[in-house]
Amino acid sequence: MAQVIHNIKSALKDTKKVQDLHRDIVDMTKTSSGMTTDHGTAVLDTDNWLKATDGATGPGPSLLEDQIAREKIMRFDHERIPERVVHARGAGAHGYFKLHKAIPEFSYAGVLNDTSRETPIFLRFSTVQGSRGSADTVRDVRGFAIKFYTDEGNWDIVGNNIPVFFIQDAIKFPDIIHSVKPEPNNEVPTGASAHPSFYDFISLQPETTHMLMWVMSDRAIPKSYRTMQGFGVNTYTLINKSGDRFFVKFHFDPELGVDSLTWDEALKISGQDPDFHRKDLEAAIKSGAFPKWNFSIQVIPDANEHDFEFDILDATKLWPEELVPKISIGEIVLNRVVDEYFTETEQVAFCTAHVIPGVGFSDDPLLQGRNFSYFDTQITRLGPNWQELPINRPVCPVMNFHRDGAMRHKISKGPNYWPNRFEAVPPVGETFKSQGHVTEYPQRMHGVKRRVRTAKFQEHFSQAQLFYNSLCPHEKQHVIDALSFELNKLEEMDIVEKMIERFTNIDLDMAQKIAMNVGGTMPSAAGKANHGKKSAFLSQEAYKPSEPTIKSRKIAILVGDGFDAVGYEAMKGALLAHSAVPVTIGTRRSRVKNSLGKDVQPDLHFEGDRSTGYDAILIPGGAHVQSLAKSGRVIHWIREAFGHCKTIGAFGEGMHIVSFLLSSSYQSALLCAAGVDLVKAALPLTGLKFAEDGSSDAVVRSYAVVTARSYSTESAKADLSIQDGNTGFMSNFAFYVSQHRCWARETDGLVSQVAF
């Protein structure tokens, strides 16, 4: 009775602040939960550090991989109390993970077996090299870090948009990052790798070769966070209830397919809209076009670890899908933007050591070091209690005897040690055993203490060749162009020569083309013969959307006074019906008149925006065509979109402006003083075809330039779906938009003939 009265009195005198604190107060003597780590996973033994021992002759060395022990000591060390070094610039969003296929044969992890769950996640995208103030569209690796708030604790997959990394051993991480960061003497460049220290390091470290090829490919300039893949990079393990262990890699493939910017586009957007990617992510989620990725795994049984010509624990190597097929298990969806950038996106902290029961670590040397490094860096940034911050704390109970330190949030009552006479918060190893779970995988270990890399870790070029061989012609050319651009920035020709020599180990023809571009010595022989092997899963062209869609794609509709009102409304309505985002761009932002004399308010004007911000452009017919043809900025919009290989649609008289601007006759009219023959040689675009028959609604498709002279009822019926080969104008236009870009313009030489 006395306790009841005390509780009533306490409740009556509690201030709002005291009541607020109750959510963070835990009475250790009144909980039935067992001991956990700070990220919510069960602590099975808090008295013995994990060791390599036979259990009889001696204790053996203590292992650095023991996350429980290191967390316990770290928390004690920091009990008495900056921008990220890498991945400083980022954007994040909330969402969920939905499991579609349970995998009990591989893992007993609850989140990988319970298909009824909808697990909350937070996903943070980022660039690596630049500071928080750098631009979104620089050439760089993109971080792809996911925090799963599971019922068993937080599980972090701290990945990238590229499946491999520069180095094999974590001890080299400070060196690669120091080399790619701005030069120490003048703090330039920001958000770029085209400088001497980076290539000096790369030229002397052959293991970086494979990753360099990926970074110089289109993968490093993604069109959107929503159109890039995610990879776990490192090799983890899965453990099932029978105690069987499997090596695993994690993959995330975007629903929209994989797409990148062109290099010209990336350079321009960096100045025009440095927040391009983060704004795109926010706009898509707010419009209901929730970004989605398919979650799949690659699995290798423990017994097959050494069955490959490469070491599966080498982070500079991928597992070719022809050898290890992916298994689709679910999807992740982002459906809510953050409420406050700092407290969520900036304070979110990931740690590769945060795994859940049923998921474990391998001996991947990069992962072993990351497990220590990520934990340590979060302490520097956020203090020892970083896991109590709202964005980082688990949704499951957290119980242990970690105490104090700077910015401690939780108020704990009762004992702060184990064992205690209350038997409060015991380790739960015996409980786990009784449930049939494996407490620790009994990995057999043998060897002597050495600083050495095994033979398979010393082969660095085979997979770089595989990647290059697997690219489409335009992708190969982009790699050559990117490396030529980067090396062109170097005055140190000794570094350039070493890089050209390195490239002869990948492909002699590629090395020769780069040497020609950058003024290096022309190599005459391959350093290592190209094996000629290819994979069907490394080119971005292998990742088109499974169903053609223009959902969330931004379409610029170009208008001036006198544009066709009926055609405009029909096209805009069709775009909205397919969940695209039409944006009207006018000769001015104040109202323009349509063909019916009615005022229409454009969203933006030609001088206030550029084609780089859109996936395609569409031009309706009408009297406005004559005035648009006289506008240099409109000409630039169309030619720039063409040069960036984007879809262009023109309907009715609108068709003529595209034909006029991209034809050799227009160039001759402009440059006749320079000579007709020169113009014809420099701009031979006569292969571009357009609709000409005014009595027909036939659609002409030519290098993703879609034109039609008229629009009939039959044509409108064909526009109800997006399919290749449909007869409708909008169906054809939308199909090309869904495929992202028409790279044939580049490979067939059309782009190089247009100035934009």
Side-chain angles (χ1 to χ4, degrees), residues 634-656:
V634 173
I635 293 169
H636 181 262
W637 265 76
I638 295 170
R639 295 181 61 182
E640 185 177 56
F642 184 85
H644 293 159
C645 302
K646 297 177 180 179
T647 301
I648 298 173
F651 172 75
E653 296 90 339
M655 177 273 297
H656 287 301

Side-chain angles (χ1 to χ4, degrees), residues 127 136-142 161-162 191 214-225 227-228 258-267 269-270 276-277 478-479 482 486 540 741 743:
T127 54
D136 279 349
T137 62
V138 297
R139 180 179 295 282
D140 200 354
V141 186
R142 296 305 190 281
N161 72 325
I162 292 174
W214 283 80
V215 175
M216 293 300 120
S217 76
D218 293 340
R219 300 285 187 151
I221 45 174
K223 172 65 188 299
S224 163
Y225 295 137
T227 60
M228 69 183 196
V258 180
D259 185 27
S260 292
L261 300 168
T262 67
W263 182 230
D264 181 77
E265 200 175 14
L267 289 172
I269 295 174
S270 288
F276 183 77
H277 283 154
H478 293 172
V479 170
E486 298 262 312
Q540 290 194 157
R741 297 178 194 268
W743 295 115

Side-chain angles (χ1 to χ4, degrees), residues 210 214 219 249 251 297-300 307-310 318-327 462-463 465-467 469-471 531-539 542-543:
H210 188 195
W214 283 80
R219 300 285 187 151
K249 282 187 178 287
H251 298 259
I297 58 175
Q298 286 179 293
V299 177
I300 296 176
D307 290 357
F308 304 87
E309 64 179 14
F310 56 91
L318 51 80
W319 299 355
E321 291 184 45
E322 288 84 356
L323 301 178
V324 188
K326 290 193 297 193
I327 303 170
S462 179
Q463 289 206 357
Q465 292 179 356
L466 179 70
F467 176 70
N469 294 344
S470 304
L471 299 181
H531 52 56
K533 297 177 183 177
K534 298 181 180 181
S535 170
F537 302 97
L538 299 183
S539 167
Y543 297 93

Side-chain angles (χ1 to χ4, degrees), residues 28-29 400-401 403 412-418 420-422 424:
M28 305 292 281
T29 65
N400 53 51
F401 298 110
R403 291 293 186 271
S412 302
K413 297 174 64 176
N416 60 356
Y417 52 88
W418 175 263
N420 60 73
R421 69 183 185 279
F422 306 102

Side-chain angles (χ1 to χ4, degrees), residues 30-49:
K30 296 180 180 179
T31 178
S32 59
S33 298
M35 188 182 295
T36 71
T37 63
D38 280 340
H39 61 283
T41 59
V43 174
L44 313 182
D45 183 341
T46 191
D47 299 321
N48 298 287
W49 198 299

